[in-house]
Amino acid sequence: MTEIPQERRVVTAIPGPKSQELQARRTATVAGGVGSVLPVFTVRAGGGIIEDIDGNRLIDFGSGIAVTSVGASAEAVVRRASAQLADFTHTCFMVTPYEGYVEVCEALAELTPGDHPKKSALFNSGAEAVENAVKIARAYTKRQAVVVFDHGYHGRTNLTMALTAKNMPYKHGFGPFAPEIYRVPVAYGYRWPTGPENCGPEAAAQAIDQITKQVGPENVAAIIIEPVLGEGGFIEPAKGFMPAIVKFANDNGIVFVADEIQSGFCRTGQWFACEDEGIVPDLITTAKGIAGGLPLAAVTGRAEIMDAPHAGGLGGTYGGNPVACAGALGSIETMREQDLNGKAKRIEEIMKGRLAAMQEKFAHNDRFVIGDIRGRGAMIAIELVKDLVTKEPAPEAAGALAKACHAEGLVVLTCGTYGNVLRFLPPLVIGEDLLNEGLDIIESAFAQV
Ligand SMILES: *Cc1c(COP(=O)(O)O)cnc(C)c1O
């Protein structure tokens, strides 16, 4: 394993000449529909640093979209996955099974909320996990309708595109979409007309009324929600919203699914974000942070629901690949040993403090301001608006700030239905010096843009 110095270093323009050369090769051969936030070509990564082919070392506030929470070359992940690679790469769990898969399911049963009997099934990607959660909920309830929320994101496959709210870039031109999907309001406190205090109960009442009047609860197989909405803008549903939806689901025999693909595995300072309101989902989907960068995803839930599909009804050639399972066990080991929940909470404290100071410092900027600072743990975002009163989104500002950060060697991402949210997802193992240096870069980007 290579130890990467945990220091930012910018030695060329970003992207540098070698990255630009590779980018030209890439453009000639990689489909145009596959984008990149920042086309610097990576040669190694670990801790809080991504090193590119030109020798630049960038501070990582993206974690490959909330994946490398333990870093991109965590010792336990590399050790366990390498050992597994040498033993065997694949047999297909549906042909001859192996222990790693079972161990991951045992860990999921232990770590996910609730002490009821649980079972899991493993897949390759988040979208695949969500699709399978829908299959399982439909098999269990013998109902078809699926309820999702405004600003929700659940993936890019046909079914999950239908579940995803935002047209551009996820859905545009890719229809027709899967039927029996219904979208209802979510408790977006910052933009709720009567204010964030009233948002939770009011939004829940609206959502429940729409489900009742427009779909019929007896037709609903599953309600799927992200406990912190990721791509939609790091929206934390206002207090009281999720418990009301869970109660409605429980009262009506609807399977409540928490999509914790982005918010799970210590990202928000808990193993799972839904723990903050004491929520015990019937099913929980996980991926991203689960396996230290290796492709793995899971559906975990109540044993009687998970066992509803007929034998052979779930699976896939690569689902629960042994190397990915070894990676997950290494990642979970790291999370436990290094108290990454504690680290995530410390990141929140530092980030929110610094961002609040920036909000004040740049409050009189005449083109845009920080309207909202939100998120939990190491899943923090700022929403940029043109004006604090109208809250008109400022997507150009988010784009310009991100660009300015990139030029200085800080990887940041944008998100949000209106494209006006700058999101920060550092690896949970990032050092405090790097974290603060990244925040310094954000601050100077504000001063500059
Ligand atoms: C990323 C994401 C998905 C899709 O995961 P993929 O691995 O990209 O298919 C689904 N749900 C949420 C909440 C996500 O953040």
Side-chain angles (χ1 to χ4, degrees):
M1 210 184 69
T2 48
E3 280 288 336
I4 301 164
Q6 294 296 300
E7 282 162 19
R8 180 175 68 109
R9 181 173 78 178
V10 178
V11 293
T12 69
I14 291 183
K18 289 181 181 159
S19 277
Q20 289 183 33
E21 220 177 285
L22 266 168
Q23 178 68 2
R25 278 170 56 198
R26 169 242 178 97
T27 305
T29 194
V30 177
V34 183
S36 293
V37 172
L38 176 56
V40 302
F41 282 74
T42 313
V43 289
R44 19 176 227 171
I49 291 286
I50 295 173
E51 188 173 303
D52 76 12
I53 192 170
D54 290 289
N56 299 299
R57 293 201 194 108
L58 291 81
I59 300 176
D60 183 11
F61 274 14
S63 298
I65 319 189
V67 169
T68 52
S69 298
V70 296
S73 49
E75 187 278 330
V77 174
V78 174
R79 171 172 36 87
R80 286 181 180 251
S82 307
Q84 178 59 49
L85 262 174
D87 285 344
F88 63 96
T89 54
H90 174 85
T91 60
C92 186
F93 192 75
M94 301 182 305
V95 179
T96 60
Y98 37 86
E99 187 176 358
Y101 190 117
V102 178
E103 280 187 274
V104 170
C105 296
E106 287 168 350
L108 285 163
E110 190 192 326
L111 296 172
T112 51
D115 43 22
H116 49 278
K118 288 175 213 157
K119 292 195 175 182
S120 293
L122 304 184
F123 304 98
N124 305 296
S125 69
E128 225 188 315
V130 175
E131 292 235 358
N132 278 281
V134 171
K135 283 167 66 171
I136 293 162
R138 283 177 170 160
Y140 178 70
T141 57
K142 307 194 165 52
R143 303 171 180 177
Q144 294 186 352
V146 178
V147 171
V148 287
F149 294 86
D150 286 337
H151 310 289
Y153 179 85
H154 301 288
R156 295 173 178 268
T157 57
N158 185 262
L159 177 56
T160 59
M161 268 196 293
L163 299 172
T164 289
K166 192 175 175 179
N167 175 50
M168 241 353 212
Y170 306 122
K171 304 166 76 162
H172 188 75
F174 299 144
F177 303 110
E180 285 303 315
I181 311 291
Y182 301 90
R183 190 174 312 286
V184 298
V186 76
Y188 189 169
Y190 179 62
R191 293 192 175 275
W192 196 254
T194 57
E197 325 68 53
N198 304 315
C199 177
E202 283 182 20
Q206 282 187 19
I208 288 167
D209 184 65
Q210 286 189 19
I211 300 168
T212 307
K213 296 295 184 307
Q214 299 177 19
V215 194
E218 66 280 12
N219 298 316
V220 179
I223 297 178
I224 309 177
I225 189 166
E226 302 158 77
V228 178
L229 284 79
E231 304 302 304
F234 284 20
I235 302 162
E236 298 171 87
K239 282 268 169 301
F241 180 78
M242 289 229 295
I245 300 293
V246 171
K247 180 172 188 307
F248 174 77
N250 292 346
D251 289 349
N252 289 282
I254 298 167
V255 175
F256 179 82
V257 184
D259 179 349
E260 293 251 18
I261 288 168
Q262 189 156 164
S263 57
F265 279 102
C266 307
R267 179 50 59 185
T268 66
Q270 303 269 12
W271 282 98
F272 297 97
C274 62
E275 291 171 50
D276 281 320
E277 278 191 284
I279 283 163
V280 177
D282 297 315
L283 300 181
I284 180 163
T285 53
T286 52
K288 293 201 166 97
I290 191 175
L294 289 153
L296 189 73
V299 184
T300 301
R302 297 184 188 281
E304 70 274 18
I305 301 178
M306 290 299 297
D307 278 339
H310 49 275
L314 303 178
T317 306
Y318 292 117
N321 168 272
V323 182
C325 286
L329 296 170
S331 171
I332 292 166
E333 177 186 320
T334 309
M335 288 171 183
R336 282 192 165 123
E337 283 183 356
Q338 300 188 15
D339 181 25
L340 293 193
N341 280 320
K343 291 259 163 58
K345 290 202 177 104
R346 176 76 185 132
I347 291 170
E348 170 175 353
E349 195 182 303
I350 295 172
M351 283 205 140
K352 282 197 167 161
R354 296 274 320 257
L355 292 167
M358 288 181 217
Q359 182 176 36
E360 201 162 308
K361 181 170 172 187
F362 299 104
H364 303 293
N365 190 331
D366 51 349
R367 279 165 46 232
F368 63 90
V369 290
I370 300 178
D372 196 22
I373 302 168
R374 58 177 179 249
R376 296 205 284 273
M379 186 171 183
I380 302 290
I382 52 179
E383 175 158 0
L384 301 161
V385 293
K386 294 190 175 152
D387 174 315
L388 287 175
V389 179
T390 64
K391 299 182 179 174
E392 188 188 335
E396 315 76 15
L401 287 169
K403 226 175 132 192
C405 290
H406 296 165
E408 291 302 317
L410 173 70
V411 177
V412 293
L413 311 172
T414 59
C415 66
T417 299
Y418 312 108
N420 64 328
V421 177
L422 213 50
R423 60 169 153 174
F424 311 119
L425 292 160
L428 306 180
V429 295
I430 194 170
E432 285 188 17
D433 291 356
L434 276 188
L435 186 67
N436 273 305
E437 195 177 344
L439 287 158
D440 293 341
I441 293 172
I442 293 167
E443 187 163 343
S444 42
F446 265 100
Q448 186 190 323
V449 170

